[in-house]
Amino acid sequence: MKREALLRHLRRHGCVLRREGKEHSLWENPRTGRAEAVPRHSEVANLLAKRICRNLSIDEPRGG
């Protein structure tokens, strides 16, 4: 899935950007305190996007 679509999904579910790195961005779910690294590639593998959402305790993204 496109990285921008994943980031929109994270924002829609209340996640916030904690910091930008050279290769990853660190996103956090403030309700749970869990953080997850999101790669800075233009495309993120669907399985990786699902794992990121699962680890942040939010719904998995639909589509791709």
Side-chain angles (χ1 to χ4, degrees):
M1 86 179 308
K2 295 283 186 191
R3 181 176 190 267
E4 284 305 314
L6 176 59
L7 299 184
R8 248 190 324 273
H9 179 76
L10 296 178
R11 284 189 208 99
R12 204 174 307 126
H13 285 83
C15 295
V16 293
L17 177 66
R18 280 293 156 220
R19 67 179 172 83
E20 288 282 354
K22 182 177 179 185
E23 297 178 7
H24 294 85
S25 304
L26 192 65
W27 284 79
E28 180 183 355
N29 184 342
R31 285 174 267 172
T32 62
R34 298 193 70 174
E36 190 67 26
V38 176
R40 299 199 56 191
H41 305 289
S42 60
E43 287 280 335
V44 177
N46 290 336
L47 288 175
L48 178 57
K50 287 181 182 182
R51 186 194 63 128
I52 289 168
C53 292
R54 199 174 315 124
N55 289 344
L56 289 172
S57 303
I58 62 173
D59 292 336
E60 293 180 359
R62 300 188 211 285

